[in-house]
């Protein structure tokens, strides 16, 4: 990584893999803002959450996909991509911005926790790099990401100008279709997936299971990301990685944990 | 899953795999408290975070490891184990308690986010099951988990008696060695891993990389899990899965996101 000028250095990652349309669109916006390095999985890694590769080694190679763009493919997870970029490319001199996506499919609400896209951005934030994850409500391989670009540029300009509050990153989701009304700052909606494992039988008469599910929103709030997206706003949720439920500490201190042990 | 009596139904999971010593110890404690069902990965899944298996099917089979214990091995991640247990074994009638572990190695501080053990417990909590993850500061295959058992029993008895605050689970870590002073309710310490990828060369002259790292604690607080463990207390951190950084919402509302778009 050579800093060619005073423009910001920007790390671009994703979870759909280095050949995904989403990361190409994100990379194109970032080229307008700074010096871009792309590090992405060599295969799709959706739903990888915050997984890291510790039981086996990883491969990491330079690739030449788009003219003039410094790009690397990595056999590891999205989080591995951020770790190896910081350690092996930026060599400790942190990038000024880490962006992840644009994911093929929403990462709103509870999806933030399963998402490789968002976990890569979380890892950027753990590394104290201002970080933003972007996702679009469209799973199609040929999804149209173009109309997200002006919003992505505005959001990243704001992040570069203001910085982000300590230990905070942004989770940005776009509704499908070119009629976005604007950007809304939201909280994560209280929702979950109701799983259903579809059982099939292989040619050897043994069962196997496909994970399927239905998204259940329990949250009627108009300040949530689910509400914003349903009303054609791009949702921006500030995300933290201190998972402590601070409000529960005084409750637990009232329990009898130590009676038997004192 | 047949409920044989009025004892609680308890789901036991882990990330070290179904043959790990840690899950055997946890299962033994749970047998004193209720009706036990074990669902665990068929191979080690450390560092899998909140990964789920969506690009390929999973296998799920009954096994007969310990006399009289209902056990299943699963080819998926720790989170998959919880999902398939809820859907295929408990069939929508949620267990009364979900415990994960005992992990071979600490899951304090930022490790909560990388840990398959803790992510399984988080998934239990998302499913509205009172859930607790347990970890011991000992990576050894023959680690001695026995002295953790009385604390695990006390903690689970308290959870079964009180329930847990909504959308909250517990992250319990034990120091190594049989001189635990008691249980401390803590917050997650502000710490991270400083990564170093060790480069090696394969027999075909191509490079590959092993993830290594050093744990860096930036937090001097005496109310953290790192402090408690260093002082030979078992640490109990209440954990939430609403990742919204609520304090950052008013800050972001002061930014100029929509100027260009209005």
């Amino acid at each position: 990584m050579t800093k060619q000028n005073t423009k910001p250095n920007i790390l671009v990652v994703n979870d759909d893999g280095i050949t995904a349309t989403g990361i190409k669109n994100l990379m194109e916006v970032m080229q307008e803002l700074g010096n871009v390095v792309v590090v992405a999985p060599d295969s799709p890694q959706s739903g990888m959450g915050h997984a890291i590769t510790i039981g086996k080694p990883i491969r990491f190679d330079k690739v030449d996909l788009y003219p003039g763009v410094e790009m690397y493919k990595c056999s590891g997870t999205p989080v591995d991509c951020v770790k190896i970029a910081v350690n092996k490319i930026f060599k400790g001199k942190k990038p000024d911005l880490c962006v992840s996506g644009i994911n093929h499919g929403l990462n709103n609400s509870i999806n933030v926790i399963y998402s490789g896209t968002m976990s890569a951005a979380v890892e950027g934030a753990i590394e104290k790099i201002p970080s933003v994850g972007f996702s679009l409500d469209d799973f199609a391989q040929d999804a149209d990401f173009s109309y997200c670009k002006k919003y992505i540029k505005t959001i990243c300009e704001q992040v570069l100008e203001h910085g982000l509050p300590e230990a905070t990153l942004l989770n940005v989701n776009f509704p499908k279709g070119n009629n976005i009304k604007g950007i809304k700052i939201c909280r994560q909606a209280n929702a979950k997936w109701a799983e259903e494992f579809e059982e099939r039988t292989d040619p050897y008469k043994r069962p196997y299971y496909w994970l399927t599910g239905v998204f259940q929103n329990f949250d009627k709030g108009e300040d949530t990301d689910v509400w914003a997206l349903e009303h054609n706003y791009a949702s921006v949720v500030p995300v933290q990685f201190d998972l402590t439920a601070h409000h529960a500490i005084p409750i637990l201190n009232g329990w009898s944990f130590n009676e038997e042990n004192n």
Side-chain angles (χ1 to χ4, degrees), chain A:
Chain A
M1 176 67 217
T2 314
K3 189 170 178 182
Q4 293 139 348
N5 46 43
T6 56
K7 290 196 294 182
N9 294 319
I10 303 174
L11 172 62
V12 180
V13 296
N14 79 344
D15 76 350
D16 288 317
I18 196 151
T19 61
T21 313
I23 199 169
K24 181 168 187 288
N25 279 267
L26 185 54
M27 179 191 83
E28 286 165 357
V29 182
M30 293 307 122
Q31 285 175 313
E32 298 175 26
L33 295 176
N35 307 311
V36 173
V37 176
V38 178
V39 182
D42 59 13
S43 63
Q45 301 263 353
S46 289
M48 275 308 262
H50 215 93
I52 51 173
T53 305
I54 52 180
K56 58 183 181 185
I58 63 176
R59 299 285 184 168
F60 174 65
D61 294 293
K62 206 161 186 175
V63 290
D64 187 20
L65 277 187
Y66 306 111
V69 184
E70 187 174 342
M71 295 186 86
Y72 303 83
K73 64 175 180 173
C74 173
S75 66
T77 66
V79 170
D80 290 331
C81 290
V82 174
K83 286 184 182 291
I84 205 161
V86 168
N87 186 241
K88 286 289 171 194
I89 303 172
F90 291 93
K91 297 183 192 297
K93 191 198 169 307
K94 303 284 169 68
D96 302 293
L97 182 66
C98 170
V99 291
S100 182
I102 308 167
N103 191 61
H104 291 248
L106 285 180
N107 282 316
N108 61 338
S109 180
I110 195 67
N111 297 303
V112 65
I113 216 164
Y114 302 101
S115 161
T117 301
M118 283 312 301
S119 294
V122 169
E123 186 64 25
I126 292 172
E127 288 288 348
K128 303 185 194 303
I129 304 163
S131 298
V132 188
F134 297 97
S135 306
L136 170 65
D137 186 13
D138 193 341
F139 282 105
Q141 267 306 103
D142 63 347
D144 179 11
F145 292 93
S146 62
Y147 62 86
C148 307
K149 285 179 160 179
K150 70 173 182 177
Y151 300 96
I152 292 173
K153 190 175 178 188
T154 299
I155 289 165
C156 289
E157 282 171 340
Q158 290 286 304
V159 169
L160 286 167
E161 181 184 333
H162 296 286
L164 280 168
E166 197 182 334
T168 306
L169 62 145
L170 301 183
N171 180 16
V172 180
N173 284 270
F174 296 104
K176 187 175 178 175
N178 186 12
N179 54 350
I180 297 178
K181 288 185 197 158
I183 291 169
K184 272 215 187 297
I185 312 302
C186 308
R187 63 177 174 84
Q188 171 184 327
N190 174 19
K192 69 179 277 288
W193 287 88
E195 271 80 26
E196 191 69 53
F197 283 86
E198 191 178 312
E199 185 172 340
R200 299 189 179 185
T201 305
D202 71 17
Y204 316 101
K205 312 287 186 219
R206 294 185 57 224
Y208 62 97
Y209 302 86
W210 285 100
L211 175 58
T212 65
V214 177
F215 187 73
Q216 296 180 308
N217 181 25
F218 308 115
D219 200 326
K220 301 295 173 218
E222 299 192 354
D223 56 346
T224 71
D225 49 3
V226 168
W227 188 94
L229 290 158
E230 282 175 350
H231 291 78
N232 278 316
Y233 289 95
S235 65
V236 176
V237 175
V239 169
Q240 63 190 358
F241 49 86
D242 174 5
L243 305 191
T244 309
H246 290 277
H247 66 281
I249 289 179
I251 299 169
L252 294 172
N253 273 321
W255 291 15
S256 306
F257 281 134
N258 284 313
E259 266 176 12
E260 289 179 23
N261 308 316
N262 286 340

